[in-house]
Amino acid sequence: MSKNKILYAEDDETIAFLTQDYLQQYYDVTHCYNGKEAYNLFKERTFDLCIFDIMMPEMDGFQLAESIRKINSEIPIIFLSAKTLKEDRIMGLKIGADDFLVKPFSIEELFLKIEIFLKRSKKSIQQKNTYQVGSFKFDFENYSLSNGELEFLLTQREAELLKFFIEHKNQVVKREAILKALWGDDDYFLGRSLDVFISRLRKIVCIDEHIQIENLHGIGFRFTVKD
């Protein structure tokens, strides 16, 4: 069973080492020393939860959380900070953080909070099988994509691909990342199959002019939904 993936941004080397060393026993933890690096990684990879310090170079934790909330409104975010003012805590929660722990914090308490948020997130994902995408309604469980009176029955792989695009909406996703997420492998023949599935999806979603699947040559794709 694969471990949950955590994005951890902290510029204090000692705190980062101790925290990552403990959490790595239970999760797949990716650590960054600044907010900008963390943001770039978030755009490229899939994570289940984020842990951010506030005072960091390049991009602070508040800016980082705000940027991530524009991409993903549901991923759990926990702030770890030496800031103790009530205003800072309120600011973090207003931005969309799920919790705020003041340093020095208990690593056991952090672990328990992570477990709580991951369970809530997993339950939410299990319950959410229907998505509204532009003028389309996507029923993932039944592989159905409808627009008004039009209804399209997708294959399992097409449905999985569309769900992946929706979860990474307006992001650049690398071809290799899609292949590994859907097939767990990345080879020439799977790549050719991916092109076929994307071509089929593109023919359907182009009914809505606000939806676009862009082919970024040599990089990957971007599933864009304009408001």
Side-chain angles (χ1 to χ4, degrees), residues 42-47 71-72 160-174 177-178 181 221-225:
F42 188 86
K43 290 188 293 182
E44 295 177 358
R45 305 182 192 175
T46 299
F47 295 95
I71 299 173
N72 187 320
E160 290 172 348
L161 175 59
L162 180 56
K163 184 179 180 181
F164 182 88
F165 274 141
I166 292 171
E167 292 174 346
H168 296 80
K169 183 177 67 175
N170 300 328
Q171 300 179 49
V172 175
V173 288
K174 294 182 179 179
I178 301 175
F221 303 90
R222 178 164 49 206
F223 181 77
T224 306
V225 182

Side-chain angles (χ1 to χ4, degrees), residues 6 19 22-27 49 51 78 80 101 105-118:
I6 292 179
T19 304
Y22 180 89
L23 296 180
Q24 198 75 48
Q25 303 174 71
Y26 310 99
Y27 315 108
L49 182 140
I51 302 173
I78 299 174
L80 304 177
L101 291 182
F105 56 89
S106 162
I107 192 69
E108 289 82 7
E109 182 182 3
L110 173 61
F111 173 74
L112 289 174
K113 287 183 180 293
I114 291 172
E115 284 294 287
I116 289 170
F117 290 126
L118 286 176

Side-chain angles (χ1 to χ4, degrees), residues 31-198:
H31 171 249
C32 304
Y33 281 105
N34 64 71
K36 188 174 181 180
E37 180 187 358
Y39 179 59
N40 288 334
L41 276 175
F42 188 86
K43 290 188 293 182
E44 295 177 358
R45 305 182 192 175
T46 299
F47 295 95
D48 300 298
L49 182 140
C50 298
I51 302 173
F52 299 149
D53 180 32
I54 292 179
M55 300 300 291
M56 292 187 293
E58 303 282 344
M59 177 187 286
D60 67 36
F62 287 153
Q63 294 171 321
L64 175 57
E66 281 185 310
S67 299
I68 281 177
R69 278 287 173 250
K70 292 176 183 177
I71 299 173
N72 187 320
S73 61
E74 297 179 356
I75 188 168
I77 298 176
I78 299 174
F79 277 128
L80 304 177
S81 177
K83 286 176 169 286
T84 58
L85 293 177
K86 181 178 71 174
E87 290 78 7
D88 293 320
R89 184 181 181 86
I90 292 173
M91 171 67 76
L93 296 174
K94 278 185 175 180
I95 288 171
D98 295 272
D99 212 328
F100 192 112
L101 291 182
V102 177
K103 298 177 182 177
F105 56 89
S106 162
I107 192 69
E108 289 82 7
E109 182 182 3
L110 173 61
F111 173 74
L112 289 174
K113 287 183 180 293
I114 291 172
E115 284 294 287
I116 289 170
F117 290 126
L118 286 176
K119 286 177 182 177
R120 287 181 186 172
S121 181
K122 184 177 181 181
K123 185 177 180 181
S124 175
I125 290 171
Q126 289 173 340
Q127 292 175 342
K128 186 175 180 181
N129 285 315
T130 303
Y131 304 82
Q132 188 67 41
V133 191
S135 57
F136 283 94
K137 182 178 180 180
F138 175 44
D139 182 347
F140 175 70
E141 188 173 351
N142 294 302
Y143 306 153
S144 172
L145 185 61
S146 58
N147 189 323
E149 296 181 356
L150 296 174
E151 184 171 359
F152 305 89
L153 186 61
L154 306 178
T155 65
Q156 179 181 345
R157 199 64 78 185
E158 288 167 349
E160 290 172 348
L161 175 59
L162 180 56
K163 184 179 180 181
F164 182 88
F165 274 141
I166 292 171
E167 292 174 346
H168 296 80
K169 183 177 67 175
N170 300 328
Q171 300 179 49
V172 175
V173 288
K174 294 182 179 179
R175 172 181 288 268
E176 309 87 73
I178 301 175
L179 291 170
K180 289 179 180 178
L182 268 63
W183 281 280
D185 199 357
D186 172 15
D187 65 23
Y188 175 79
F189 295 105
L190 292 181
R192 298 291 291 176
S193 298
L194 176 62
D195 290 332
V196 172
F197 291 131
I198 288 179

